[in-house]
Coordinates of all heavy atoms in Angstrom, one line a residue:
M20 N -3.7 -3.7 -5.2 CA -4.2 -2.5 -5.9 C -5.7 -2.6 -6.0 O -6.3 -3.6 -6.2 CB -3.6 -2.4 -7.3 CG -4.3 -1.7 -8.3 SD -3.6 -1.7 -10.0 CE -2.9 -0.1 -9.9
R21 N -6.4 -1.4 -5.7 CA -7.8 -1.4 -5.8 C -8.2 -1.6 -7.2 O -7.5 -1.2 -8.2 CB -8.3 0.1 -5.4 CG -7.9 0.4 -4.0 CD -8.2 1.8 -3.7 NE -7.3 2.7 -4.3 CZ -6.8 3.8 -3.8 NH1 -7.3 4.2 -2.6 NH2 -5.9 4.6 -4.3
D22 N -9.3 -2.3 -7.4 CA -9.9 -2.5 -8.8 C -10.5 -1.1 -9.1 O -11.3 -0.5 -8.4 CB -11.0 -3.6 -8.7 CG -11.6 -3.8 -10.0 OD1 -11.5 -2.9 -10.9 OD2 -12.1 -4.9 -10.3
P23 N -10.0 -0.5 -10.2 CA -10.5 0.8 -10.6 C -11.9 0.9 -11.0 O -12.5 2.0 -10.9 CB -9.6 1.2 -11.8 CG -9.0 -0.1 -12.4 CD -9.0 -1.1 -11.1
A24 N -12.6 -0.2 -11.2 CA -14.0 -0.2 -11.4 C -14.9 -0.1 -10.2 O -16.0 0.2 -10.2 CB -14.3 -1.5 -12.2
V25 N -14.2 -0.4 -9.0 CA -15.0 -0.3 -7.8 C -15.2 1.1 -7.3 O -14.3 1.9 -7.4 CB -14.2 -1.1 -6.7 CG1 -14.9 -1.0 -5.4 CG2 -14.1 -2.6 -7.0
I26 N -16.4 1.3 -7.0 CA -16.9 2.7 -6.5 C -16.7 2.8 -5.0 O -17.3 1.9 -4.3 CB -18.2 3.0 -7.0 CG1 -18.3 3.0 -8.6 CG2 -18.7 4.4 -6.4 CD1 -19.6 3.0 -9.1
F27 N -15.9 3.8 -4.5 CA -15.7 4.0 -3.1 C -16.5 5.2 -2.6 O -16.4 6.3 -3.3 CB -14.2 4.3 -2.9 CG -13.9 4.7 -1.5 CD1 -13.8 3.7 -0.5 CD2 -13.6 5.9 -1.2 CE1 -13.4 4.1 0.9 CE2 -13.2 6.3 0.1 CZ -13.2 5.4 1.0
Q28 N -17.3 5.1 -1.6 CA -18.1 6.2 -1.1 C -17.8 6.3 0.4 O -18.1 5.4 1.1 CB -19.5 6.2 -1.3 CG -20.4 7.3 -0.9 CD -20.1 8.6 -1.5 OE1 -19.9 8.7 -2.7 NE2 -19.7 9.6 -0.7
R29 N -17.2 7.4 0.8 CA -16.9 7.7 2.2 C -18.3 7.9 2.9 O -19.2 8.6 2.4 CB -16.0 8.9 2.3 CG -15.1 9.1 3.5 CD -14.5 7.9 4.1 NE -13.1 8.0 4.3 CZ -12.7 7.6 5.5 NH1 -13.4 7.1 6.4 NH2 -11.4 7.5 5.7
L30 N -18.4 7.4 4.2 CA -19.6 7.7 5.0 C -19.0 8.3 6.3 O -17.8 8.3 6.5 CB -20.3 6.4 5.3 CG -20.8 5.6 4.0 CD1 -21.4 4.3 4.4 CD2 -21.8 6.5 3.3
D31 N -20.0 8.7 7.2 CA -19.5 9.3 8.5 C -18.7 8.3 9.2 O -17.8 8.7 10.0 CB -20.8 9.8 9.3 CG -21.4 11.0 8.7 OD1 -20.7 11.7 8.0 OD2 -22.5 11.3 9.1
D32 N -19.1 7.0 9.3 CA -18.5 6.0 10.1 C -17.8 4.9 9.3 O -17.5 3.8 9.8 CB -19.5 5.4 11.0 CG -20.7 4.7 10.2 OD1 -20.7 4.9 9.0 OD2 -21.4 3.9 10.8
G33 N -17.3 5.2 8.1 CA -16.6 4.3 7.3 C -16.8 4.6 5.8 O -16.6 5.6 5.4
A34 N -17.1 3.4 5.1 CA -17.3 3.6 3.7 C -18.1 2.5 3.1 O -18.2 1.5 3.8 CB -15.9 3.7 3.0
V35 N -18.5 2.6 1.9 CA -19.1 1.5 1.2 C -18.5 1.4 -0.2 O -18.0 2.3 -0.9 CB -20.6 1.6 1.0 CG1 -21.0 2.9 0.1 CG2 -21.3 0.4 0.5
L36 N -18.2 0.2 -0.6 CA -17.7 -0.2 -1.9 C -18.8 -0.8 -2.8 O -19.6 -1.7 -2.3 CB -16.4 -1.1 -1.8 CG -15.4 -0.8 -0.8 CD1 -14.3 -1.9 -0.7 CD2 -14.7 0.5 -1.3
F37 N -18.8 -0.5 -4.0 CA -19.8 -1.0 -5.0 C -19.0 -1.5 -6.1 O -18.2 -0.8 -6.8 CB -20.8 -0.1 -5.5 CG -21.7 -0.5 -6.4 CD1 -22.6 -1.6 -6.2 CD2 -21.7 0.0 -7.7 CE1 -23.4 -2.2 -7.2 CE2 -22.5 -0.5 -8.8 CZ -23.4 -1.5 -8.5
A38 N -19.1 -2.8 -6.5 CA -18.5 -3.4 -7.6 C -19.5 -3.6 -8.7 O -20.4 -4.5 -8.6 CB -17.9 -4.7 -7.3
P39 N -19.5 -2.7 -9.7 CA -20.5 -2.7 -10.8 C -20.5 -4.1 -11.5 O -21.5 -4.6 -12.1 CB -20.2 -1.6 -11.7 CG -19.1 -0.9 -11.1 CD -18.6 -1.6 -9.9
G40 N -19.4 -4.7 -11.7 CA -19.3 -5.9 -12.5 C -20.2 -7.0 -11.9 O -20.8 -7.8 -12.7
N41 N -20.2 -7.2 -10.7 CA -21.1 -8.2 -10.0 C -22.2 -7.7 -9.2 O -22.8 -8.4 -8.5 CB -20.3 -9.2 -9.2 CG -19.5 -8.6 -8.1 OD1 -19.7 -7.5 -7.8 ND2 -18.6 -9.4 -7.5
E42 N -22.3 -6.4 -9.2 CA -23.3 -5.6 -8.5 C -23.4 -5.9 -7.0 O -24.4 -6.1 -6.4 CB -24.7 -5.8 -9.1 CG -24.8 -5.3 -10.5 CD -26.2 -5.5 -11.2 OE1 -27.0 -6.2 -10.6 OE2 -26.4 -5.0 -12.3
S43 N -22.2 -5.9 -6.4 CA -22.1 -6.2 -4.9 C -21.7 -5.0 -4.1 O -20.9 -4.2 -4.7 CB -21.2 -7.5 -4.7 OG -19.8 -7.2 -5.0
Y44 N -22.2 -4.9 -2.9 CA -21.8 -3.9 -2.0 C -20.9 -4.5 -0.9 O -21.1 -5.7 -0.5 CB -23.1 -3.2 -1.4 CG -23.8 -2.4 -2.3 CD1 -24.8 -2.9 -3.1 CD2 -23.5 -1.0 -2.5 CE1 -25.5 -2.1 -4.0 CE2 -24.1 -0.2 -3.3 CZ -25.2 -0.7 -4.1 OH -25.9 0.1 -4.9
F45 N -20.0 -3.6 -0.5 CA -19.1 -4.2 0.7 C -19.0 -3.0 1.6 O -18.5 -1.9 1.2 CB -17.8 -4.7 0.2 CG -17.0 -5.4 1.2 CD1 -17.1 -6.7 1.3 CD2 -16.0 -4.7 1.9 CE1 -16.3 -7.4 2.3 CE2 -15.3 -5.3 2.9 CZ -15.4 -6.7 3.1
G46 N -19.3 -3.2 2.9 CA -19.1 -2.1 3.9 C -17.8 -2.1 4.6 O -17.3 -3.2 4.9
L47 N -17.3 -1.0 4.9 CA -16.0 -0.9 5.6 C -16.3 0.0 6.8 O -16.9 1.1 6.7 CB -14.9 -0.2 4.7 CG -14.5 -1.0 3.5 CD1 -13.6 -0.1 2.7 CD2 -13.8 -2.3 3.9
N48 N -15.7 -0.3 7.9 CA -15.7 0.6 9.1 C -14.6 1.6 8.9 O -14.0 1.7 7.8 CB -15.5 -0.2 10.4 CG -14.1 -0.9 10.5 OD1 -13.2 -0.6 9.7 ND2 -14.0 -1.8 11.4
E49 N -14.4 2.6 9.8 CA -13.5 3.6 9.6 C -12.1 3.1 9.3 O -11.3 3.7 8.5 CB -13.4 4.5 10.9 CG -12.5 5.7 10.8 CD -12.8 6.7 9.7 OE1 -14.0 6.8 9.3 OE2 -11.9 7.3 9.2
V50 N -11.6 2.2 10.1 CA -10.2 1.6 9.8 C -10.2 1.0 8.5 O -9.2 1.1 7.7 CB -9.8 0.7 11.0 CG1 -8.4 0.1 10.6 CG2 -9.8 1.4 12.3
G51 N -11.1 0.2 8.1 CA -11.2 -0.4 6.8 C -11.1 0.7 5.6 O -10.5 0.5 4.6
A52 N -11.8 1.7 5.8 CA -11.8 2.9 4.9 C -10.4 3.4 4.8 O -10.0 3.7 3.6 CB -12.8 3.9 5.2
L53 N -9.7 3.5 5.8 CA -8.3 4.0 5.8 C -7.5 3.1 5.1 O -6.6 3.4 4.3 CB -7.8 4.2 7.3 CG -8.4 5.4 8.1 CD1 -8.0 5.3 9.5 CD2 -8.1 6.7 7.4
V54 N -7.7 1.8 5.3 CA -6.8 0.7 4.6 C -7.1 0.9 3.0 O -6.1 0.9 2.3 CB -7.1 -0.6 5.1 CG1 -6.5 -1.7 4.2 CG2 -6.7 -0.8 6.5
W55 N -8.3 1.0 2.7 CA -8.8 1.1 1.3 C -8.0 2.3 0.7 O -7.4 2.3 -0.4 CB -10.2 1.3 1.1 CG -10.7 1.4 -0.3 CD1 -10.9 2.6 -1.0 CD2 -10.8 0.3 -1.3 NE1 -11.2 2.4 -2.3 CE2 -11.2 1.0 -2.5 CE3 -10.8 -1.1 -1.3 CZ2 -11.4 0.2 -3.7 CZ3 -11.1 -1.8 -2.4 CH2 -11.3 -1.1 -3.6
E56 N -8.1 3.5 1.3 CA -7.5 4.6 0.8 C -5.9 4.5 0.8 O -5.3 5.2 0.0 CB -7.8 5.9 1.7 CG -9.3 6.2 1.5 CD -9.8 7.2 2.5 OE1 -9.2 7.3 3.7 OE2 -10.7 7.9 2.2
A57 N -5.3 3.7 1.6 CA -3.9 3.5 1.6 C -3.3 2.4 0.8 O -2.1 2.2 0.6 CB -3.4 3.2 3.1
L58 N -4.2 1.6 0.1 CA -3.8 0.7 -0.9 C -3.0 1.3 -2.1 O -3.2 2.5 -2.4 CB -5.0 -0.1 -1.5 CG -5.7 -1.1 -0.4 CD1 -7.0 -1.6 -1.1 CD2 -4.7 -2.2 0.0
P59 N -2.2 0.4 -2.7 CA -1.5 1.0 -3.8 C -2.4 1.8 -4.8 O -3.5 1.3 -5.1 CB -0.8 -0.2 -4.5 CG -0.6 -1.1 -3.3 CD -1.8 -0.9 -2.4
P60 N -2.0 2.9 -5.4 CA -0.7 3.4 -5.4 C -0.4 4.3 -4.2 O 0.8 4.9 -4.1 CB -0.7 4.2 -6.7 CG -2.1 4.7 -6.8 CD -2.9 3.5 -6.3
A61 N -1.3 4.6 -3.3 CA -1.0 5.4 -2.1 C 0.1 4.8 -1.3 O 0.9 5.6 -0.7 CB -2.3 5.6 -1.3
S62 N 0.2 3.6 -1.2 CA 1.4 2.9 -0.4 C 2.1 2.0 -1.4 O 1.5 1.4 -2.2 CB 0.9 2.0 0.7 OG 0.2 2.9 1.7
A63 N 3.5 1.9 -1.2 CA 4.2 1.1 -2.1 C 4.4 -0.3 -1.6 O 4.7 -1.2 -2.4 CB 5.6 1.7 -2.3
S64 N 4.1 -0.5 -0.3 CA 4.3 -1.9 0.2 C 3.3 -2.1 1.4 O 2.8 -1.1 2.0 CB 5.7 -2.1 0.7 OG 6.0 -1.3 1.9
L65 N 3.2 -3.3 1.8 CA 2.4 -3.7 2.9 C 3.0 -3.0 4.2 O 2.2 -2.5 5.0 CB 2.3 -5.3 3.1 CG 1.6 -5.8 4.4 CD1 0.1 -5.3 4.3 CD2 1.8 -7.3 4.5
E66 N 4.3 -3.1 4.3 CA 4.9 -2.5 5.5 C 4.6 -1.0 5.5 O 4.4 -0.4 6.7 CB 6.4 -2.7 5.5 CG 6.7 -4.1 6.0 CD 6.3 -5.3 4.9 OE1 6.3 -5.0 3.8 OE2 6.0 -6.4 5.4
E67 N 4.6 -0.3 4.4 CA 4.4 1.1 4.4 C 3.0 1.4 4.8 O 2.6 2.3 5.6 CB 4.6 1.7 3.0 CG 4.5 3.2 2.9 CD 4.7 3.7 1.5 OE1 5.7 3.2 0.8 OE2 4.0 4.5 1.0
L68 N 2.0 0.6 4.3 CA 0.7 0.7 4.7 C 0.4 0.6 6.2 O -0.3 1.3 6.9 CB -0.2 -0.2 3.8 CG -1.7 -0.1 3.9 CD1 -2.3 -0.7 2.6 CD2 -2.3 -0.7 5.1
C69 N 1.0 -0.4 6.7 CA 0.9 -0.8 8.1 C 1.5 0.3 9.0 O 1.0 0.6 10.0 CB 1.4 -2.2 8.4 SG 0.4 -3.5 7.7
A70 N 2.6 0.8 8.6 CA 3.3 1.8 9.4 C 2.4 3.1 9.3 O 2.4 3.8 10.4 CB 4.7 2.2 8.8
H71 N 1.8 3.5 8.3 CA 0.9 4.6 8.2 C -0.2 4.4 9.2 O -0.5 5.3 9.9 CB 0.4 4.8 6.7 CG -0.7 5.8 6.6 ND1 -0.5 7.1 6.7 CD2 -2.0 5.5 6.5 CE1 -1.7 7.7 6.5 NE2 -2.6 6.7 6.4
L72 N -0.8 3.1 9.2 CA -2.0 2.9 10.1 C -1.5 3.0 11.5 O -2.2 3.5 12.4 CB -2.6 1.6 9.8 CG -3.5 1.6 8.6 CD1 -4.0 0.2 8.3 CD2 -4.7 2.5 8.8
Q73 N -0.4 2.4 11.9 CA 0.1 2.4 13.3 C 0.3 3.9 13.7 O 0.2 4.1 14.9 CB 1.3 1.6 13.4 CG 1.7 1.4 14.9 CD 2.9 0.7 15.2 OE1 3.8 0.8 14.5 NE2 2.9 0.0 16.3
Q74 N 0.7 4.8 12.8 CA 0.9 6.2 13.2 C -0.4 6.8 13.6 O -0.5 7.6 14.6 CB 1.5 7.0 12.1 CG 2.9 6.7 11.9 CD 3.5 7.5 10.7 OE1 2.8 8.1 9.9 NE2 4.9 7.4 10.6
R75 N -1.5 6.4 13.0 CA -2.9 6.8 13.3 C -3.3 6.2 14.6 O -4.2 6.8 15.4 CB -3.8 6.4 12.2 CG -3.6 7.1 10.8 CD -4.2 8.6 10.8 NE -5.5 8.7 11.3 CZ -6.6 8.9 10.5 NH1 -6.4 9.1 9.2 NH2 -7.8 9.2 11.0
F76 N -2.9 4.9 14.9 CA -3.4 4.2 16.0 C -2.2 3.6 16.8 O -1.9 2.5 16.8 CB -4.3 3.0 15.6 CG -5.5 3.4 14.8 CD1 -5.4 3.3 13.5 CD2 -6.6 4.0 15.4 CE1 -6.4 3.8 12.6 CE2 -7.7 4.4 14.6 CZ -7.5 4.3 13.3
P77 N -1.4 4.6 17.5 CA -0.2 4.2 18.1 C -0.3 3.2 19.3 O 0.7 2.6 19.7 CB 0.4 5.5 18.6 CG -0.7 6.4 18.7 CD -1.7 5.9 17.7
D78 N -1.5 3.0 19.9 CA -1.7 2.1 21.0 C -1.8 0.6 20.4 O -1.8 -0.3 21.3 CB -3.0 2.4 21.7 CG -2.8 3.7 22.5 OD1 -1.7 4.2 22.7 OD2 -3.9 4.3 22.8
V79 N -1.8 0.4 19.2 CA -1.9 -0.9 18.5 C -0.5 -1.3 18.1 O 0.1 -0.6 17.3 CB -2.9 -0.9 17.4 CG1 -3.1 -2.3 16.9 CG2 -4.3 -0.5 18.0
D80 N -0.1 -2.5 18.5 CA 1.2 -2.9 18.0 C 1.3 -3.2 16.5 O 0.2 -3.6 15.9 CB 1.8 -4.1 18.9 CG 1.0 -5.3 18.7 OD1 -0.1 -5.4 19.4 OD2 1.5 -6.1 17.8
L81 N 2.4 -3.1 15.9 CA 2.6 -3.3 14.5 C 2.1 -4.7 14.0 O 1.5 -4.8 12.9 CB 3.9 -3.0 14.0 CG 4.2 -2.9 12.5 CD1 3.3 -1.9 11.9 CD2 5.7 -2.7 12.2
A82 N 2.4 -5.8 14.8 CA 2.0 -7.1 14.4 C 0.5 -7.2 14.3 O 0.0 -8.0 13.4 CB 2.5 -8.1 15.4
T83 N -0.2 -6.6 15.2 CA -1.7 -6.7 15.2 C -2.2 -5.9 14.0 O -3.1 -6.4 13.4 CB -2.3 -6.1 16.4 OG1 -1.8 -6.8 17.6 CG2 -3.8 -6.1 16.5
V84 N -1.6 -4.7 13.8 CA -2.1 -3.9 12.6 C -1.9 -4.8 11.3 O -2.8 -4.8 10.5 CB -1.2 -2.5 12.5 CG1 -1.5 -1.8 11.2 CG2 -1.6 -1.7 13.6
R85 N -0.7 -5.4 11.2 CA -0.4 -6.1 10.0 C -1.3 -7.3 9.8 O -1.9 -7.5 8.8 CB 1.0 -6.6 10.1 CG 1.5 -7.2 8.9 CD 3.0 -7.7 8.9 NE 3.6 -8.0 7.6 CZ 3.2 -9.0 6.9 NH1 2.3 -9.8 7.2 NH2 3.8 -9.2 5.7
A86 N -1.6 -8.0 10.8 CA -2.6 -9.2 10.8 C -4.0 -8.7 10.4 O -4.6 -9.4 9.6 CB -2.6 -9.8 12.2
D87 N -4.3 -7.6 10.9 CA -5.7 -7.1 10.6 C -5.8 -6.6 9.2 O -6.8 -6.8 8.5 CB -6.2 -6.0 11.6 CG -6.4 -6.4 13.0 OD1 -6.5 -7.7 13.2 OD2 -6.5 -5.7 13.8
V88 N -4.7 -6.0 8.7 CA -4.7 -5.5 7.3 C -4.7 -6.7 6.4 O -5.4 -6.7 5.4 CB -3.5 -4.5 7.2 CG1 -3.2 -4.3 5.7 CG2 -3.7 -3.2 7.9
V89 N -3.8 -7.6 6.6 CA -3.8 -8.8 5.8 C -5.1 -9.5 5.7 O -5.6 -9.9 4.6 CB -2.7 -9.9 6.3 CG1 -2.8 -11.2 5.6 CG2 -1.3 -9.3 6.1
E90 N -5.8 -9.7 6.8 CA -7.0 -10.2 6.9 C -8.1 -9.5 5.9 O -8.8 -10.0 5.1 CB -7.6 -10.3 8.2 CG -9.0 -11.1 8.4 CD -9.4 -11.0 9.9 OE1 -8.6 -10.9 10.7 OE2 -10.6 -11.2 10.0
L91 N -8.2 -8.2 6.1 CA -9.0 -7.3 5.2 C -8.7 -7.4 3.8 O -9.5 -7.6 3.0 CB -9.0 -5.9 5.8 CG -9.8 -5.0 4.9 CD1 -11.3 -5.3 4.9 CD2 -9.7 -3.5 5.4
I92 N -7.4 -7.4 3.4 CA -7.0 -7.3 2.1 C -7.4 -8.7 1.5 O -7.8 -8.9 0.3 CB -5.5 -7.1 1.8 CG1 -5.2 -5.6 2.2 CG2 -5.0 -7.4 0.4 CD1 -3.8 -5.2 2.2
D93 N -7.2 -9.8 2.2 CA -7.5 -11.1 1.7 C -9.1 -11.2 1.5 O -9.5 -11.8 0.4 CB -7.1 -12.2 2.8 CG -5.7 -12.5 2.7 OD1 -5.0 -12.1 1.8 OD2 -5.1 -13.2 3.7
R94 N -9.8 -10.7 2.3 CA -11.3 -10.6 2.3 C -11.7 -9.8 1.0 O -12.6 -10.2 0.2 CB -12.0 -10.1 3.4 CG -13.4 -9.9 3.4 CD -14.1 -11.2 3.6 NE -15.6 -11.2 3.3 CZ -16.5 -10.7 4.1 NH1 -16.1 -10.3 5.4 NH2 -17.8 -10.7 3.7
L95 N -11.0 -8.6 0.8 CA -11.3 -7.7 -0.4 C -11.0 -8.6 -1.7 O -11.7 -8.4 -2.6 CB -10.6 -6.5 -0.3 CG -11.0 -5.5 0.8 CD1 -10.0 -4.3 0.9 CD2 -12.4 -5.0 0.6
A96 N -9.9 -9.3 -1.7 CA -9.5 -10.1 -2.8 C -10.5 -11.1 -3.1 O -10.9 -11.3 -4.2 CB -8.1 -10.7 -2.6
T97 N -11.0 -11.8 -2.0 CA -12.0 -12.8 -2.2 C -13.3 -12.3 -2.8 O -14.0 -12.9 -3.6 CB -12.3 -13.5 -0.9 OG1 -11.2 -14.2 -0.3 CG2 -13.5 -14.5 -0.9
E98 N -13.6 -11.0 -2.4 CA -14.8 -10.4 -2.9 C -14.6 -9.8 -4.4 O -15.5 -9.1 -4.9 CB -15.3 -9.3 -2.0 CG -15.6 -9.8 -0.6 CD -16.9 -10.6 -0.7 OE1 -17.8 -10.4 -1.5 OE2 -17.1 -11.6 0.3
G99 N -13.4 -9.8 -4.9 CA -13.1 -9.2 -6.1 C -12.9 -7.7 -6.2 O -13.2 -7.1 -7.2
L100 N -12.6 -7.1 -5.0 CA -12.6 -5.7 -4.9 C -11.1 -5.1 -5.1 O -11.0 -4.0 -5.3 CB -13.1 -5.3 -3.6 CG -14.6 -5.6 -3.4 CD1 -15.0 -5.4 -1.9 CD2 -15.5 -4.8 -4.3
V101 N -10.2 -6.0 -4.9 CA -8.8 -5.7 -5.3 C -8.3 -6.6 -6.4 O -8.8 -7.7 -6.5 CB -7.8 -5.7 -4.0 CG1 -8.3 -4.6 -3.0 CG2 -7.9 -7.1 -3.4
R102 N -7.3 -6.1 -7.2 CA -6.8 -6.9 -8.3 C -5.8 -7.8 -8.0 O -5.4 -8.6 -8.9 CB -6.4 -5.9 -9.4 CG -7.5 -5.1 -9.9 CD -7.0 -4.3 -11.1 NE -8.1 -4.3 -12.1 CZ -7.9 -4.0 -13.3 NH1 -6.6 -3.8 -13.8 NH2 -8.8 -4.1 -14.2
M103 N -5.3 -7.8 -6.8 CA -4.2 -8.8 -6.5 C -4.2 -9.3 -5.1 O -4.8 -8.5 -4.3 CB -2.8 -8.2 -6.8 CG -2.4 -6.9 -6.1 SD -3.3 -6.5 -4.7 CE -2.3 -5.2 -4.0
P104 N -3.8 -10.5 -4.9 CA -3.8 -11.0 -3.5 C -2.6 -10.5 -2.8 O -1.7 -9.9 -3.4 CB -3.6 -12.5 -3.7 CG -3.0 -12.7 -5.0 CD -3.4 -11.5 -5.8
L105 N -2.6 -10.6 -1.5 CA -1.4 -10.2 -0.8 C -0.2 -11.0 -1.0 O -0.4 -12.3 -1.2 CB -1.8 -10.3 0.8 CG -0.8 -9.7 1.7 CD1 -0.6 -8.2 1.5 CD2 -1.3 -10.0 3.1
A106 N 0.8 -10.5 -1.3 CA 2.1 -11.2 -1.5 C 2.7 -11.6 -0.2 O 2.1 -11.7 0.7 CB 3.1 -10.3 -2.4
G107 N 4.0 -12.0 -0.4 CA 4.7 -12.5 0.9 C 4.8 -11.3 1.9 O 4.3 -10.2 1.7
A108 N 5.6 -11.5 2.9 CA 5.9 -10.6 4.0 C 6.5 -9.2 3.4 O 6.5 -8.3 4.2 CB 6.7 -11.2 5.0
D109 N 7.1 -9.2 2.3 CA 7.8 -8.0 1.9 C 6.9 -7.0 1.1 O 7.4 -6.0 0.7 CB 9.1 -8.4 1.1 CG 8.6 -9.2 -0.1 OD1 7.6 -9.7 -0.2 OD2 9.6 -9.4 -1.0
G110 N 5.7 -7.3 0.9 CA 4.9 -6.3 0.3 C 3.7 -6.7 -0.5 O 3.3 -7.9 -0.3
L111 N 3.2 -5.9 -1.3 CA 2.0 -6.1 -2.1 C 2.5 -6.3 -3.6 O 3.4 -5.6 -4.0 CB 1.0 -5.0 -2.0 CG 0.5 -4.6 -0.6 CD1 -0.3 -3.3 -0.7 CD2 -0.3 -5.7 -0.1
S112 N 1.9 -7.3 -4.3 CA 2.3 -7.4 -5.6 C 1.1 -8.0 -6.5 O 0.3 -8.6 -5.9 CB 3.6 -8.3 -5.8 OG 3.3 -9.6 -5.4
A113 N 1.3 -7.9 -7.7 CA 0.3 -8.5 -8.6 C 0.4 -9.9 -8.7 O 1.6 -10.4 -8.5 CB 0.4 -7.9 -10.1
P114 N -0.6 -10.7 -8.9 CA -0.5 -12.2 -9.0 C 0.4 -12.6 -10.1 O 0.6 -12.0 -11.1 CB -1.9 -12.7 -9.1 CG -2.7 -11.6 -9.5 CD -2.0 -10.3 -9.2

């Protein structure tokens, strides 16, 4: 789940996140911005989020989409921009 304190600003080629708590900025490319927008509550599970992205990018296989999404969510969690780490293979959940 996105940290509600994080400010999201869409740009022409992606987005920028600002975390007021630690005054940090984090840049996202276009795909990263789509992932951010699809995080819960927009998606109920990791699989739903990845399926949505694969519909946007049908030339990319689902395993690659999933691996890239997991990597980004893990990075966002490390930066304190999401409130929970990625759960197991069956979805997203709070720690």
Side-chain angles (χ1 to χ4, degrees):
M20 155 181 258
R21 298 174 285 219
D22 183 333
V25 173
I26 298 166
F27 171 81
Q28 181 61 52
R29 204 38 136 133
L30 304 171
D31 290 339
D32 60 350
V35 66
L36 304 174
F37 174 65
N41 61 9
E42 298 182 350
S43 67
Y44 287 91
F45 191 88
L47 296 170
N48 64 18
E49 179 62 29
V50 177
L53 290 172
V54 171
W55 179 265
E56 292 170 330
L58 287 172
S62 297
S64 69
L65 175 62
E66 282 67 29
E67 183 180 316
L68 189 157
C69 292
H71 169 75
L72 282 177
Q73 191 187 32
Q74 288 176 355
R75 294 281 309 253
F76 304 98
D78 293 339
V79 182
D80 67 273
L81 187 57
T83 301
V84 170
R85 189 178 195 291
D87 290 349
V88 168
V89 167
E90 182 180 341
L91 177 59
I92 292 173
D93 285 346
R94 177 80 191 276
L95 293 172
T97 298
E98 298 292 330
L100 299 167
V101 292
R102 291 187 142 203
M103 58 19 170
L105 188 62
D109 58 349
L111 304 171
S112 65

